[in-house]
Amino acid sequence: MEKNGKEVMYEGKSKVIYAGPDEKSVVIFYKDTATAFNGEKKEDLNDKGKLNAAISNLLYDYLSQNGIETHLIEVIDETKVLAKKAEIVMVEVIVRNVAAGSFSKKYGVAEGSKLNNIVAEFSLKDDELGDPMINISQITALGIATKEELKEMEEKTLRINDLLSELFRKVGIKLVDFKLEFGRFDGKLILCDEISPDSCRLWDLETNEKLDKDRFRRNMGNVPESYQEVLTRLLNV
Ligand code: TMP
Ligand code: ASP
C-alpha cells in the first residue's frame, strides 16, 4: 500500500507507519483521528496529531536524558518522526497511581480513589479481542514475551512512572494512569509508540479537571484545547 508516494507498513487508529530510509528505521505519522471504545467512536480533531507528536517527543527526550532508551531517532516535522524499527511486544503495560477508568468500573471504586500501592497491569494488544487484560503466566504460556522480558518491562515502566509523575507534578498535573508499549531492537527492550494525552490520564493537580482523552471518550469537549494546555505547561517547565 502507498500513501503520499511512501510505502505504508501499517496503519493504526491514530498513526501510520511508513518504511524508513533504511531497514532499521520507520517513519511514524501522527494522525488527527481520535478513536475510543475500540474504534466505535471516531472523529478527526484539529491539530491532535501535531499536539500528540509534540508532547510525546518532549516526554521521550526527557526520558532519554534520564537513561530510558526509546525508539525516537529524530523529529522530521510537526507530525512525523523517524524511529527505530523495533519488533513490538504485543502487550500493553498499564500503570495506575490513582483509581480511574476501567479499573474503577471493574472493581467498583470511585474515580480518584487513593490506591495503597501502584498498580501495574498487562493487556493483550489485539483490537479484535478488545485488548483483554492478561497476566504474566498467560503471556509466557502464549509465547508473547518471556518472564525476564516482562520483569524488565515492569521495572522500566515503574522508573518511567517515577520520572513522568515528577515532571507532570512540576507543571501542576497529576499523572493518574498511562499505557506503554515496548519493542525489541538490537537485543534490547526499548520504549515504543507514544506517550500523550491519548495514552495517559492527566488531571489538573488543584481542580482535577481532565486534560486527556477522557474528554473525547466522555463527550466533554475542548479536547485539542486541553492537549494544548498540557503542551504549553510542559514547554514552560
Ligand atoms: P483504562 O482505564 O481504560 O484501562 O485505561 C488505562 C490507561 O491506558 C489510560 O491512561 C488510557 C490508556 N489506554 C490506552 O492508551 N489505549 C487504550 O486502548 C486504552 C483502553 C487505554
Ligand atoms: N484506543 C482505543 C480505541 O481507539 C481505546 C481508548 O483509548 O479508549 O478504541
Side-chain angles (χ1 to χ4, degrees):
M1 200 182 4
E2 290 217 346
K3 215 172 179 173
N4 310 322
K6 288 198 209 115
E7 189 199 339
V8 175
M9 294 177 54
Y10 174 79
E11 177 151 9
K13 293 191 289 266
S14 62
K15 290 193 286 300
V16 185
I17 315 290
Y18 295 98
D22 59 61
E23 280 296 293
K24 294 190 109 183
S25 63
V26 289
V27 172
I28 302 177
F29 168 66
Y30 285 76
K31 302 197 272 190
D32 280 343
T33 315
T35 69
F37 316 117
N38 211 6
E40 249 174 67
K41 181 175 160 73
K42 187 174 171 185
E43 221 174 286
D44 271 6
L45 301 172
N46 252 352
D47 290 340
K48 191 191 75 116
K50 78 179 187 199
L51 288 166
N52 274 358
I55 293 168
S56 196
N57 294 340
L58 186 152
L59 296 176
Y60 271 34
D61 275 348
Y62 163 77
L63 290 173
S64 137
Q65 282 159 23
N66 284 281
I68 304 287
E69 192 176 342
T70 81
H71 71 172
L72 184 61
I73 301 171
E74 65 181 28
V75 174
I76 299 172
D77 62 25
E78 280 184 326
T79 51
K80 285 195 227 83
V81 295
L82 184 67
K84 292 169 189 157
K85 184 180 175 183
E87 180 202 347
I88 298 293
V89 179
M90 296 305 276
V91 288
E92 303 183 336
V93 194
I94 292 158
V95 176
R96 302 180 190 275
N97 297 306
V98 177
S102 70
F103 184 93
S104 284
K105 202 167 170 199
K106 203 177 292 163
Y107 303 114
V109 283
E111 284 211 314
S113 302
K114 197 179 163 298
L115 298 168
N116 289 335
N117 52 266
I118 294 166
V119 172
E121 294 170 11
F122 293 100
S123 287
L124 180 66
K125 217 175 123 55
D126 187 324
D127 282 345
E128 273 185 29
L129 299 175
D131 295 345
M133 197 191 236
I134 188 165
N135 72 23
I136 290 175
S137 70
Q138 290 167 327
I139 297 171
T140 56
L142 293 170
I144 296 166
T146 65
K147 224 172 168 170
E148 292 69 34
E149 284 178 322
L150 294 170
K151 186 162 177 268
E152 190 180 330
M153 281 162 63
E154 201 171 317
E155 280 168 7
K156 283 202 160 94
T157 299
L158 293 175
R159 170 83 182 126
I160 293 168
N161 185 39
D162 284 346
L163 290 165
L164 292 182
S165 295
E166 190 193 331
L167 179 71
F168 279 119
R169 204 176 307 117
K170 278 191 197 152
V171 299
I173 291 174
K174 192 189 294 176
L175 178 59
V176 172
D177 56 31
F178 61 97
K179 182 267 300 177
L180 297 180
E181 295 183 23
F182 290 89
R184 304 179 183 98
F185 183 82
D186 273 353
K188 281 184 285 186
L189 275 176
I190 63 170
L191 182 62
C192 293
D193 199 52
E194 70 183 271
I195 305 181
S196 72
D198 269 10
S199 63
C200 302
R201 284 198 174 86
L202 304 167
W203 296 355
D204 181 87
L205 254 186
E206 280 177 12
T207 64
N208 278 341
E209 184 190 0
K210 296 182 198 309
L211 300 170
D212 57 65
K213 195 172 158 188
D214 271 348
R215 300 199 70 88
F216 172 71
R217 295 186 188 100
R218 302 176 192 191
N219 302 314
M220 297 169 79
N222 289 340
V223 185
E225 291 81 0
S226 301
Y227 286 31
Q228 180 65 61
E229 172 70 20
V230 172
L231 177 60
T232 304
R233 290 199 201 183
L234 287 171
L235 287 171
N236 290 316
V237 66

